[in-house]
């Protein structure tokens, strides 16, 4: 009986030691600072986008190191989500297409890469997205907060916190007549 009690008493000590060891090996996060274009009007946001779609991420985003422009050995960490397009309002895409959308930040090899403005797309949640497309890379949101509008249960588009631009169904109909 005393052996059982002594083993039970050691359990919290062993768990603490494991936690301390795990924390000691933790890597410091890397903070990105991006210079995002800020849009004063929905007209400009719509005009600047090469692709405007309603789409739903098909699963959680996956962190990847991507080489995009810049120096030949320069890479950044992005979270890449595959989205299924349900409606095209501007650009070269079709309903039912699946495209990849990248967002700055993520986790690679146990290191977290953080960009403070980034709000990641949630799996299986519909969005209105304002994107810039590239021939050899995933599309990008024009701004991490102003270029994504989650759709609520009533079918309305919701601005993310910190985004003063509102996107109503009437506003979208004005921007993309007949779509």
């Amino acid at each position: 009986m005393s052996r059982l009690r002594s083993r039970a008493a050691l359990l919290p000590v062993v768990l603490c030691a494991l936690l301390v060891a795990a924390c000691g090996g933790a890597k410091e996060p890397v903070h990105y600072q991006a210079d995002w274009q800020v849009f004063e009007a929905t007209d400009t946001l719509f005009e600047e986008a090469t692709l405007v779609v309603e789409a739903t991420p098909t699963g959680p985003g996956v962190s990847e190191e991507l080489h995009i422009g810049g120096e030949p050995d320069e890479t950044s960490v992005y979270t890449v989500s595959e989205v299924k397009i349900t409606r095209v309002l501007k650009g070269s895409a079709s309903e039912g297409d699946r495209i990849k959308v990248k967002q700055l930040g993520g986790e690679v090899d146990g290191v977290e890469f953080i960009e403070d403005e980034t709000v990641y797309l949630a799996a299986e949640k519909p969005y209105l997205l304002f994107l810039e497309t590239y021939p050899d890379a995933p599309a990008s949101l024009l701004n991490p907060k102003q270029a994504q509008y989650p759709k609520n249960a009533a079918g309305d588009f919701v601005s993310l916190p910190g985004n003063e631009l509102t996107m109503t169904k009437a506003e979208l109909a004005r921007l993309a007549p007949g779509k």
Side-chain angles (χ1 to χ4, degrees), residues 100-160:
K100 292 187 177 187
V101 176
K102 69 182 183 311
Q103 295 178 275
L104 192 56
E107 186 176 324
V108 172
D109 297 330
V111 177
E112 188 175 8
F113 295 81
I114 301 167
E115 196 286 317
D116 290 333
E117 297 294 313
T118 299
V119 177
Y120 296 109
L121 299 173
E124 306 303 325
K125 185 172 185 166
Y127 289 89
L128 173 64
L129 303 174
F130 293 81
L131 303 165
E132 183 170 346
T133 56
Y134 310 96
D136 299 326
S140 290
L141 293 167
L142 294 180
N143 177 295
K145 290 184 180 177
Q146 291 185 308
Q148 62 169 305
Y149 292 82
K151 197 173 197 180
N152 66 17
D156 297 318
F157 303 110
V158 180
S159 298
L160 294 176

Side-chain angles (χ1 to χ4, degrees), residues 22-145:
C23 289
K27 298 175 183 174
E28 289 292 318
V30 174
H31 289 270
Y32 288 131
Q33 185 161 357
D35 187 20
W36 300 104
Q37 180 176 356
V38 177
F39 297 91
E40 300 297 326
T42 56
D43 296 72
T44 310
L45 179 65
F46 190 84
E47 288 168 14
E48 292 289 323
T50 55
L51 183 63
V52 179
V53 295
E54 286 187 47
T56 303
T58 59
V62 176
S63 296
E64 299 180 22
E65 286 185 279
L66 298 174
H67 171 75
I68 300 184
E71 298 298 316
D73 60 346
E74 186 179 311
T75 62
S76 295
V77 173
Y78 292 88
T79 296
V80 179
S81 301
E82 181 181 78
V83 300
K84 182 177 180 183
I85 296 172
T86 55
R87 182 177 174 203
V88 179
L89 297 141
K90 178 183 178 184
S92 298
S94 299
E95 184 179 316
D97 285 354
R98 292 174 186 258
I99 63 168
K100 292 187 177 187
V101 176
K102 69 182 183 311
Q103 295 178 275
L104 192 56
E107 186 176 324
V108 172
D109 297 330
V111 177
E112 188 175 8
F113 295 81
I114 301 167
E115 196 286 317
D116 290 333
E117 297 294 313
T118 299
V119 177
Y120 296 109
L121 299 173
E124 306 303 325
K125 185 172 185 166
Y127 289 89
L128 173 64
L129 303 174
F130 293 81
L131 303 165
E132 183 170 346
T133 56
Y134 310 96
D136 299 326
S140 290
L141 293 167
L142 294 180
N143 177 295
K145 290 184 180 177

